[in-house]
Amino acid sequence: MTPRLVSATRLPLTGTQKVRRAANVLNGSTVLGLAVSALAGTKVSRGPRGLLIAAGYRWRLPFAGAFTLGNVVLCRCTAADLLSRPALLGHEEKHCSQYAWCLGVPFLPLYFLAAGWSLLRTGNPGTGNVFERHAGLAAGGYPAPLDRGRPGRPSEVEA
């Protein structure tokens, strides 16, 4: 890890980040993330903004290169690789906030319903998924929705 990346993990947390971290511990989603990371044999380290990075995730599911459980970001790459991709890390951080807003584990069925709806509508589990749209499609590696030529409907996605 470069000195710049190491120093980014040591910045003091904002009030919002402290509340999110506490909410996700209390609602059990971060505990679930730590349990999955332990079972999967990942290496957990402190990340920036109250995140925990569980690097070296090798289980087949989910297919994503990175995913979040509470404030734990599980990734297939190394922590340094994830830290060098601030857009992806920011995308996953937004999912951490979504866990807090959904009161923890209820986020999972809500997310899967949104992914199924997206898959039916767009052929992709992320493009029409409200959670992925709010986290930033491009940052998460999802394609933008197609502009179907309807007047007044921009082809850009809200981030």
Side-chain angles (χ1 to χ4, degrees), residues 28-42 44 59 69 72 74:
S29 58
T30 294
V31 175
L32 175 63
L34 290 171
V36 168
S37 68
L39 290 170
T42 67
V44 178
W59 288 359
L69 291 169
V72 181
L74 295 103

Side-chain angles (χ1 to χ4, degrees), residues 41-119:
T42 67
K43 181 179 179 192
V44 178
S45 60
R46 289 181 193 257
R49 303 180 298 278
L51 304 177
L52 297 170
I53 298 174
Y57 181 83
R58 296 285 175 247
W59 288 359
R60 283 180 176 222
L61 294 173
F63 299 115
F67 69 100
T68 305
L69 291 169
N71 267 35
V72 181
V73 180
L74 295 103
C75 59
R76 298 183 185 284
C77 60
T78 67
D81 288 341
L82 182 60
L83 289 169
S84 71
R85 299 177 63 191
L88 177 58
L89 187 60
H91 173 91
E92 297 303 332
E93 181 180 6
K94 288 177 185 170
H95 288 314
C96 296
S97 297
Q98 292 168 350
Y99 272 95
W101 281 108
C102 292
L103 305 177
V105 177
F107 171 79
L108 292 170
L110 293 171
Y111 179 89
F112 291 125
L113 282 171
W117 179 245
S118 174
L119 190 60

